[in-house]
Amino acid sequence: MKKLLLALTTFAVLATGCSTGTSAPADQPGGQAGAAKKRIALILPEKIGVNPFFQQMDEGAKKAAQELGAEVKTIESTDHGAIEENLRVAVAENYDLIITSSFTSEDALKKVATENPDRNFAIIDTVVDLPNVRSVTFREQEAAYLVGAAAGLATKTNKVGMVVALDIPQLKKWTVGFGEGLKATNPKAELMVNYVGSFTDPAKAKELALLQASKGADFINGAAAVGDLGVFEAAKEKGFFTAGQDVDRTTIDPEHIVLSQLKGTDAAAYETVKTFVEGTFKPGVVAYGLKEKGVGVTYVTHESKTPLNAFIGQEVVDKVKAISDEIVAGTRKVPDQF
């Protein structure tokens, strides 16, 4: 979901359109003595600290650098044009690997990577089909399926809602995955889906969540980027239950935010740096799902600091864990609608 949040945030610049960013030189025993350190640039589409999605990415890359004896420099972009500028700066400074992220970086990376076919690039959370680019993607539909399965088991009204940013192909992983999981555990459950029409409108998202609650939904899944904040507000006001995205949101309001769909951008960045430093880096598409622990759900695949809410309960968690095991084993398939 956080690739969708790119439209929401204020960006930072490096020099004339870029910012100097931060470096994480690694002097740990991972590198070879006397060998030149691998130099890696991480070009983020926004300022660190605004969006946990990118903060995790930065942390994962730096952790790999520290453990493996590499150097990572993080460069934060200020706007759409600055992404290309930052990529060109990284090329000019002769970084061995240049990593960026998300669909707003696609056009800039296609241009810069095409012009520099002898350089290594990677992009996290989308696909750029070029012979010198490694594209790291996520099977978000698998985690969405688990959240839907939990909702189907937990609902008392057999009415479940979902507030979604936009009706676009990219979000089918969330909407279809959630709906399929709901249907698998509760064929009688009714799913209401409403679209905000924006990634940046909590007021509209709240309005839609209240509408769904008025129709009897006792669980409403947020998939509206910043709009999820409006869904959370509505849950607190009306007493229904909801779920967050990407990182553990249950800590915000454990009484009403009872699950979170997780995405391991830190693991993706860590593995990208690790494969490059160790010499196994290859272009092409790499996908992270439940099996690779690239996606998950609180309480089901990942622990949470927040106690499990009674609305979900341990019995539901155990049943959903069994479903997760089937997906990992390949005996239960979750199609990628996107």
Side-chain angles (χ1 to χ4, degrees):
M1 281 297 299
K2 294 305 176 193
K3 64 184 178 183
L4 305 173
L5 277 173
L6 300 173
L8 319 178
T9 51
T10 306
F11 302 95
V13 213
L14 169 66
T16 61
C18 319
S19 93
T20 54
T22 55
S23 294
D27 298 317
Q28 303 302 323
Q32 297 178 354
K37 291 181 180 179
K38 296 292 186 182
R39 299 174 63 248
I40 298 155
L42 176 63
I43 313 296
L44 296 181
E46 66 172 52
K47 186 177 180 180
I48 294 174
V50 176
N51 189 332
F53 183 85
F54 296 114
Q55 178 133 9
Q56 285 188 150
M57 202 177 296
D58 176 66
E59 291 169 355
K62 288 179 177 175
K63 179 182 178 184
Q66 291 169 353
E67 291 180 2
L68 299 167
E71 176 186 334
V72 167
K73 181 177 182 179
T74 300
I75 303 170
E76 305 161 54
S77 306
T78 178
D79 54 34
H80 191 74
I83 298 171
E84 181 178 336
E85 177 75 13
N86 290 340
L87 288 169
R88 293 190 181 284
V89 168
V91 169
E93 293 183 357
N94 292 315
Y95 279 90
D96 300 303
L97 173 65
I98 301 168
I99 307 171
T100 188
S101 174
S102 302
F103 71 95
T104 54
S105 300
E106 286 180 12
D107 290 343
L109 180 58
K110 287 176 184 176
K111 186 182 296 185
V112 175
T114 299
E115 294 171 2
N116 296 275
D118 58 335
R119 306 301 294 274
N120 292 300
F121 298 89
I123 188 164
I124 295 173
D125 209 27
T126 191
V127 174
V128 169
D129 186 14
L130 288 172
N132 57 334
V133 177
R134 181 183 179 99
S135 299
V136 182
T137 63
F138 299 90
R139 299 193 297 275
E140 295 97 342
Q141 68 273 14
E142 295 179 354
Y145 187 98
L146 297 184
V147 177
L153 293 167
T155 179
K156 307 300 188 293
T157 64
N158 279 341
K159 292 184 178 181
V160 172
M162 191 170 191
V163 176
V164 187
L166 292 169
D167 186 6
I168 57 176
Q170 289 94 327
L171 287 181
K172 295 297 183 186
K173 287 186 176 184
W174 282 264
T175 56
V176 176
F178 180 81
E180 289 295 315
L182 177 70
K183 184 169 59 176
T185 59
N186 189 346
K188 296 180 180 179
E190 174 189 350
L191 176 59
M192 294 173 271
V193 179
N194 290 101
Y195 297 94
V196 179
S198 168
F199 306 132
T200 60
D201 196 345
K204 180 65 175 180
K206 180 179 180 180
E207 177 186 326
L208 295 174
L210 291 172
L211 175 64
Q212 292 178 355
S214 73
K215 295 180 178 180
D218 59 353
F219 181 91
I220 300 174
N221 190 22
V226 168
D228 286 354
L229 299 176
V231 178
F232 298 163
E233 285 183 11
K236 193 169 186 177
E237 288 182 14
K238 294 299 180 181
F240 63 82
F241 301 96
T242 185
Q245 294 288 337
D246 294 322
V247 297
D248 189 352
R249 302 295 191 182
T250 63
T251 56
I252 299 172
D253 179 10
E255 188 176 346
H256 301 100
I257 307 172
V258 296
L259 291 173
S260 279
Q261 181 175 326
L262 308 173
K263 185 186 290 190
T265 54
D266 51 348
Y270 180 95
E271 289 297 324
T272 301
V273 172
K274 183 173 185 287
T275 58
F276 187 76
V277 173
E278 293 181 345
T280 58
F281 179 91
K282 293 180 181 179
V285 179
V286 180
Y288 290 85
L290 291 174
K291 185 176 183 179
E292 299 82 10
K293 300 188 184 301
V295 299
V297 177
T298 50
Y299 311 108
V300 178
T301 63
H302 292 69
E303 297 297 326
S304 173
K305 295 179 181 178
T306 307
L308 179 64
N309 189 290
F311 175 76
I312 299 297
Q314 192 59 47
E315 183 178 353
V316 168
V317 168
D318 291 342
K319 289 179 179 179
V320 178
K321 280 184 177 179
I323 292 172
S324 177
D325 290 343
E326 291 175 3
I327 295 172
V328 169
T331 57
R332 184 184 293 245
K333 303 294 184 181
V334 182
D336 182 354
Q337 295 299 320
F338 177 54

